[in-house]
Amino acid sequence: MPPLHEIAHLAHVELRTPVLDESVEFFTRYLGLTENGSAGDSVFLRAWDDYEQITIKLTGHATSGVGRTNLRAASPEALQRRVKELEATGRGIGWADGDPGYGQTYVFTDPDGHEFGLYYESEWYTPPAELAPSLKNQAQAYPSHGVAVRRLDHINYLGVEPVVNRDFLRDTLGALVTEQIVLNDGTVAGSWTTFTNKGYDAVYTRDRTGTPGRLHHIAFAVDTRDGILRAADIALEQGVHIETGPHKHAIQQTFFLYVYEPGGNRIELCNAGARLVLAPDWQPVNWSEAERAKGQAWGLKTIESFHTHGTPPVEEAS
Ligand SMILES: [Fe+2]
C-alpha cells in the first residue's frame, strides 16, 4: 500500500449543469466564489482562500453530475510513482493538457467510472488589483457577499460498491480509511477516506439505484458553525433550496447544511471544527446499522432524499 501524503490534496472539481447561467449565479452570488475565466462551455470559479487558479469548473451539459475530480500530487516524483501504479490497474486513460494554469494531467477512472486527473505543476493565483487581499498570506480578498466559503472541503461520490472504489483510492493513491458504515451482513455502505490530516477528502456511499459514476455532493468549508447558520439564512433570502440541516453529523462530527444548486447538484456547507487525523496507525471507525438508525449526532433523522437524490438523476431501480 502506498504511503499517506503522496497526494497533497483534493484540488478542483468539474461539475456539470444543464442550466449554466443559473448555476454560475448560485456559485457567485450565494456561495461567494469568484469567476476566473472560461473556456468553451466551462466557467472557472474560485474560492477566496484557494492558492490555485480554479476551485470549481462548471460545465454546461445535457444533465447534472460530476466531471473530472483533480488531485495535486505532493511532488513530481510522487506523481510519477502514482501514475506507474495507476497504469498497472488498467484504469489509466493517459496524459492530457491540464485546465488553464495546470500542467500535464494524468487522467484515470475509479472502478465506478468517476473520472480523476492527477497533476503536480500548478500556477499559483495572482489576484487583480481589485481582488488583492490586505494581508499577503491570503490568496484573494475576503468577499463581502454570500456565504463566502473558504475552500473546497471534500467530495462524496455515489458508488455501486463503495468498498471497491475506496480500496482503489487506498491502494493506488495512499488514501487512509478513517470511518465507514458496516451493515449487519458485513457490507460497507459508506467509506470516508483522507489524503491529508483532515478527517476526510473523498467519500463513497452506496448508490441504491446501482448506477455507476454518480455524485452525492461536494462540500465547501465554512470557518465557523455560525457561518453555517448564516448560510441557511442567506439561502432563505435567495430562494436556494435547503434539503436538510443545519445539524451535526455523527460520522466525522461535521456541522452541516445541504442545499441544491440550480442544476440539481447537492452542495454541502460544512464545518468540521478543529478535528484532525494525526495518528499514523489510525484504525477505521465502524458505524453499525443500529447506530445509523439513531440519526445524526443530535437525533435529526436522515432525510429520505439523502438516500434517493444523486446526480445525474436516474430512474429508481425497482
Ligand atoms: Fe459531506
Side-chain angles (χ1 to χ4, degrees):
M1 205 178 299
L4 185 64
H5 303 312
E6 285 274 278
I7 304 302
H9 58 86
L10 173 67
H12 64 287
V13 174
E14 180 183 22
L15 272 188
R16 296 171 178 149
T17 171
V19 288
L20 182 60
D21 291 347
E22 291 171 51
S23 292
V24 168
E25 175 160 338
F26 168 91
F27 280 93
T28 53
R29 180 165 172 255
Y30 177 62
L31 288 187
L33 299 189
T34 307
E35 278 193 51
N36 188 27
S38 61
D41 291 332
S42 297
V43 176
F44 305 115
L45 300 161
R46 44 172 287 103
W48 62 270
D49 200 29
D50 195 336
Y51 72 93
E52 297 187 285
Q53 298 286 333
I54 303 169
T55 309
I56 294 293
K57 176 181 182 177
L58 207 51
T59 299
H61 197 265
T63 184
S64 52
V66 62
R68 184 181 301 168
T69 300
N70 293 276
L71 306 171
R72 190 174 186 203
S75 66
E77 295 75 22
L79 174 60
Q80 295 305 326
R81 284 192 292 268
R82 293 310 104 222
V83 168
K84 198 173 167 192
E85 294 212 23
L86 289 163
E87 280 177 338
T89 67
R91 298 199 179 281
I93 293 172
W95 292 96
D97 289 338
D99 285 316
Y102 299 81
Q104 284 291 103
T105 299
Y106 187 77
V107 181
F108 60 97
T109 65
D110 66 14
D112 232 58
H114 299 99
E115 187 175 296
F116 288 78
L118 183 61
Y119 66 92
Y120 174 72
E121 295 297 334
S122 179
E123 180 190 315
W124 282 41
Y125 177 71
T126 305
E130 68 273 19
L131 294 177
S134 291
L135 300 175
K136 66 181 184 182
N137 55 0
Q138 185 171 314
Q140 176 184 323
Y142 181 77
S144 57
H145 68 278
V147 182
V149 295
R150 180 180 284 267
R151 58 175 168 77
L152 189 65
D153 188 84
H154 62 269
I155 182 163
N156 190 144
Y157 306 98
L158 287 169
V160 175
E161 288 295 343
V163 74
V164 172
N165 289 287
R166 77 100 196 271
D167 285 358
F168 175 82
L169 293 193
R170 183 190 64 190
D171 297 344
T172 60
L173 303 179
L176 176 71
V177 180
T178 54
E179 304 201 19
Q180 56 188 354
I181 298 169
V182 183
L183 304 182
N184 295 342
D185 66 2
T187 307
V188 173
S191 183
W192 283 251
T193 69
T194 186
F195 297 115
T196 60
N197 291 128
K198 290 162 59 225
Y200 54 120
D201 294 310
V203 184
Y204 287 97
T205 45
R206 191 161 66 175
D207 193 321
R208 284 193 178 184
T209 69
T211 311
R214 296 207 301 155
L215 175 71
H216 193 272
H217 66 270
I218 60 167
F220 293 90
V222 175
D223 286 359
T224 64
R225 289 184 175 183
D226 281 350
I228 304 288
L229 300 177
R230 183 173 167 274
D233 283 335
I234 299 172
L236 199 57
E237 294 291 357
Q238 294 191 7
V240 171
H241 174 68
I242 295 176
E243 182 186 33
T244 186
H247 202 86
K248 177 179 169 174
H249 281 299
I251 296 176
Q252 304 283 356
Q253 299 194 21
T254 308
F255 199 71
F256 66 82
L257 172 73
Y258 290 90
V259 301
Y260 294 169
E261 61 92 16
N265 295 299
R266 180 189 284 107
I267 306 293
E268 179 184 11
L269 290 314
C270 72
N271 177 266
R275 197 161 183 272
L276 293 174
V277 172
L278 299 175
D281 53 353
W282 180 273
Q283 296 301 311
V285 175
N286 296 334
W287 297 88
S288 68
E289 281 187 45
E291 288 164 338
R292 292 297 295 144
K294 293 178 185 171
Q296 304 298 337
W298 297 320
L300 179 75
K301 292 301 171 199
T302 304
I303 193 166
E304 182 59 21
S305 57
F306 227 60
H307 302 297
T308 56
H309 181 84
T311 51
V314 292
E315 292 296 315
E316 186 81 34
S318 56

